[in-house]
Amino acid sequence: MKTQRRTFDLSKTKFLALLLSTTLVATASAAQPDPVKTRAYIDKAWSTLTRSQDNCASLTDPKIKTRPVLYVPAQFTPPADLAQVQKRCNIDLHTLPHTVEQLGDIDATKLPVQGLLYLPHPYVVPGGFFNEMYGWDSYFILLGLVADHRIELARDMVDNALFEVQYYGGVLNANRTYYLSRSQPPFLTQMMVAVLNDPAGFHNADEKRAWLEKAYPLAVRNHDIWTRPEHQAGNTGLARYYDFGNGPVLEAQTSSYYRGVIKWLIAHSTDNPGYLIKATEHPNDAEAERLKTESCDVRASKVCADDWFGGYRLTADYYHGDRAMRESGFDTNFHYGPFAGSTHHYADVSLNSLLYRYELDLHDFAQQLGKTADATRWAQAAAARKEAMDKYLWRADDGMYRDYDFVAGKPSNLPYLTTFYPLWAGAASPQQAAAVRSKLSIFELQGGLTMDDRPSGAQWDNPFGWAPTNWLAVAGLDAYGFHDDAHRIAGKFSATIDRSLAADGTIREKYNMASGNADVKIIAGYTTNVIGFGWTNGVYLMMEEILSGTKTKAAVPPQSATP
């Protein structure tokens, strides 16, 4: 019996060893990066991330725990089926109090409740608690949709953006009422170009021209946002980011973020640019009145009232910078001061590069429509912007573009990955492009391009990297003939996405460029690494075109249009 028992034990041991070996092999195989699996994930994600106003799940706001509310424009007749949606989804349907000519016309703090802004067509959201159509995200999402031959959905998103301009005053940060005071990086004309250039975008030339005739004046109106006095960077002739609201942002439901800023500034007093003022926790009426102009309205906003710690509150200027940071899309970073509280003090390389490209696009549209005077005006606007960029943003001694602090009257001494934006926009001379290209070592790590060389603990700083900024750098390098660099960086960033998906089965909004994976630990500001993720999916497909050689090699873009 003992011999038989031992034989059984040995057999059992061999079986367990074989089972363990098989499991390890399967696990190792499952963990291997596989572009085919990444592609399959993206294919599925387009459907998962698509929203429309007749879908109840699209109407909720994970950031604000209230009954879903949908707003329609004041001068807009809602479709008849919206009443059915209201009943089926148990939502409140409101009309905005008056027409909107430009951003800031409606003070969202005066609305009875915050809600979703109606859009007529389906759209793709980033993912997670970003359950609405975002401004600059949509451009990179759209690139992926076009690359994936989902042109109908891509055109729907452009039409939604144009709808926002017509009825809400501009392309919004996203289609929520609390974003009615700010836009985001201006990619509208490039979204239009993407669908206009796709052979399947329109049924025929007449339809294409009719669409452009309707879209062009709206694109012009959206450009007007950036030429308003509030968006001017002093007398530089350049633009800045600026939100037309005041105080803490409405999407902040508690004061935890702002209290964290105050605590950091107190602990790092030598790094405080002047964002704090002495104040009591419970101000009397006289102090509350003073704080309306020096900080925020503690009587009107609970978040403002709670933005206090250790005898200090945040200045009104800090809140303007905080709001401008959110319009820039780079929330949160330390490049524009701690927690980017000085964003509105800068003529920004990224914004002015985008506007240069926008003005060239408007020139091209005007030419196509036979608007000769308009074409001349846009060519002159682009040329003037490039001249100002060369004067204030180009640093020949550094061989880089640097943001310009027009308040202090000096350029930033900190490099940022946006130095590659002028290459994407075609604003750099071949010599400037070559100089910028020589600075790749500042940003290039194992997983791709990081934002800068200064770890701060914030998500838009080192060692973190993002799909949009990696793509704009890669596309810019490729456009100026640096194909090997573009191919190498595209390979690194794509491999990071493949590797991370193999590890946990997801695609994320941002990655760790030092480790080449999704191990992202944020200690300052917004800390979540959201799953989805719209713009990463889109950029992966664009990087795939670079790597496969299917993307047409671009010649050096023109630095200005012919007036």
Side-chain angles (χ1 to χ4, degrees):
M1 292 293 293
K2 288 182 180 179
T3 301
Q4 291 175 341
R5 178 62 180 268
R6 185 171 178 228
T7 300
F8 174 78
D9 287 344
L10 284 172
S11 299
K12 184 178 181 181
T13 300
K14 289 178 180 179
F15 173 77
L16 291 174
L18 178 62
L19 180 62
L20 178 60
S21 175
T22 303
T23 302
L24 289 173
V25 169
T27 301
S29 175
Q32 289 300 309
D34 184 352
V36 173
K37 291 182 179 178
T38 305
R39 194 65 171 76
Y41 177 101
I42 293 171
D43 286 342
K44 183 178 179 181
W46 291 134
S47 297
T48 304
L49 297 173
T50 298
R51 304 286 184 269
S52 63
Q53 313 285 250
D54 61 355
N55 183 323
C56 298
S58 303
L59 304 173
T60 61
D61 187 353
K63 298 181 292 302
I64 298 180
K65 307 300 182 184
T66 61
R67 175 187 170 98
V69 177
L70 180 65
Y71 280 88
V72 295
Q75 73 279 42
F76 177 76
T77 303
D81 60 358
L82 212 52
Q84 299 174 359
V85 173
Q86 179 183 11
K87 183 177 181 180
R88 175 166 51 86
C89 299
N90 191 30
I91 65 167
D92 291 331
L93 188 62
H94 291 228
T95 301
L96 289 176
H98 55 77
T99 59
V100 178
E101 296 298 329
Q102 57 187 2
L103 294 182
D105 277 359
I106 288 182
D107 181 354
T109 66
K110 302 296 194 292
L111 296 175
V113 63
Q114 302 303 315
L116 186 72
L117 293 168
Y118 172 82
L119 293 176
H121 306 290
Y123 51 89
V124 178
V125 302
F129 51 73
F130 299 116
N131 197 37
E132 45 274 318
M133 181 171 151
Y134 278 79
W136 76 314
D137 292 66
S138 292
Y139 170 63
F140 302 97
I141 290 170
L142 180 139
L143 290 180
L145 292 173
V146 172
D148 212 13
H149 308 294
R150 299 170 186 260
I151 189 63
E152 184 178 353
L153 183 53
R155 185 171 160 184
D156 280 342
M157 292 189 68
V158 183
D159 285 337
N160 279 338
L162 294 167
F163 184 92
E164 287 187 349
V165 178
Q166 182 174 2
Y167 290 104
Y168 303 130
V171 175
L172 301 175
N173 186 153
N175 59 314
R176 295 281 178 191
T177 51
Y178 45 75
Y179 292 137
L180 282 166
S181 60
R182 67 174 179 265
S183 187
Q184 269 202 328
F187 283 100
L188 175 59
T189 56
Q190 278 294 291
M191 292 172 69
M192 293 167 60
V193 166
V195 297
L196 285 166
N197 287 350
D198 191 284
F202 299 88
H203 292 102
N204 53 57
D206 289 342
E207 182 194 17
K208 184 176 180 178
R209 183 181 177 88
W211 183 86
L212 182 58
E213 286 178 339
K214 181 179 178 182
Y216 170 74
L218 293 173
V220 171
R221 182 178 173 189
N222 191 64
H223 179 275
D224 291 345
I225 292 170
W226 307 100
T227 58
R228 290 174 63 178
E230 296 89 345
H231 269 118
Q232 296 310 292
N235 61 0
T236 62
L238 298 169
R240 65 168 176 171
Y241 289 111
Y242 188 84
D243 181 311
F244 293 95
N246 297 288
V249 294
L250 286 177
E251 64 267 28
Q253 293 295 286
T254 72
S255 63
S256 59
Y257 174 80
Y258 294 114
R259 285 170 62 89
V261 174
I262 297 172
K263 291 176 183 179
W264 190 96
L265 292 168
I266 292 172
H268 302 82
S269 58
T270 58
D271 296 319
N272 175 18
Y275 297 163
L276 297 179
I277 59 169
K278 282 277 191 181
T280 63
E281 183 176 10
H282 304 290
N284 59 27
D285 289 344
E287 184 181 11
E289 189 63 28
R290 175 173 58 82
L291 289 174
K292 281 184 181 181
T293 55
E294 294 184 1
S295 178
C296 55
D297 191 342
V298 297
R299 297 290 189 256
S301 165
K302 185 179 186 308
V303 173
C304 168
D306 292 344
D307 287 356
W308 178 94
F309 183 82
Y312 290 96
R313 291 184 177 276
L314 293 161
T315 64
D317 193 62
Y318 164 80
Y319 284 119
H320 281 300
D322 174 69
R323 285 173 168 269
M325 170 194 72
R326 296 165 194 272
E327 182 171 73
S328 79
F330 298 141
D331 47 332
T332 301
N333 70 80
F334 275 56
H335 177 70
Y336 305 95
F339 298 89
S342 298
T343 300
H344 60 316
H345 291 181
Y346 283 89
D348 180 272
V349 172
S350 66
L351 174 58
N352 286 283
S353 299
L354 299 181
L355 287 172
Y356 173 79
R357 182 70 255 175
Y358 199 115
E359 286 154 357
L360 290 186
D361 291 338
L362 289 176
H363 162 270
D364 294 346
F365 296 156
Q367 277 198 326
Q368 293 171 42
L369 295 172
K371 299 178 181 293
T372 307
D374 275 16
T376 299
R377 176 165 65 95
W378 292 121
Q380 292 171 344
R385 189 173 302 278
K386 183 189 180 325
E387 183 178 355
M389 289 173 67
D390 285 341
K391 179 178 180 179
Y392 290 102
L393 306 183
W394 174 248
R395 308 306 302 169
D397 50 342
D398 292 326
M400 299 177 73
Y401 291 89
R402 295 284 180 90
D403 303 303
Y404 183 77
D405 184 341
F406 68 91
V407 175
K410 62 181 182 181
S412 170
N413 62 352
L414 305 174
Y416 213 43
L417 188 56
T418 52
T419 190
F420 287 92
Y421 276 48
L423 278 66
W424 172 86
S429 69
Q431 295 75 23
Q432 288 171 322
V436 171
R437 178 256 178 193
S438 73
K439 305 299 180 182
L440 272 171
S441 60
I442 296 174
F443 307 99
E444 188 172 354
L445 298 174
Q446 174 185 337
L449 299 176
T450 186
M451 292 302 299
D452 62 13
D453 58 354
R454 296 172 64 249
S456 70
Q459 64 175 1
W460 283 97
D461 293 330
N462 179 287
F464 307 119
W466 297 74
T469 47
N470 269 264
W471 171 247
L472 294 176
V474 165
L477 289 165
D478 195 54
Y480 278 83
F482 302 117
H483 304 310
D484 290 344
D485 295 312
H487 192 278
R488 182 182 69 256
I489 296 164
K492 284 186 172 185
F493 194 74
S494 296
T496 295
I497 297 171
D498 290 336
R499 204 159 35 241
S500 301
L501 183 119
D504 69 5
T506 66
I507 290 181
R508 304 279 179 155
E509 67 168 338
K510 55 184 172 284
Y511 293 91
N512 185 322
M513 298 291 94
S515 57
N517 57 31
D519 183 16
V520 173
K521 293 181 175 61
I522 307 296
I523 60 174
Y526 163 65
T527 60
T528 307
N529 194 7
V530 177
I531 295 170
F533 195 82
W535 65 18
T536 312
N537 300 346
V539 164
Y540 184 89
L541 298 182
M542 297 306 294
M543 296 294 196
E544 195 176 58
E545 290 188 358
I546 293 282
L547 294 171
S548 66
T550 57
K551 184 178 186 297
T552 303
K553 299 298 184 191
V556 177
Q559 295 174 56
S560 62
T562 302

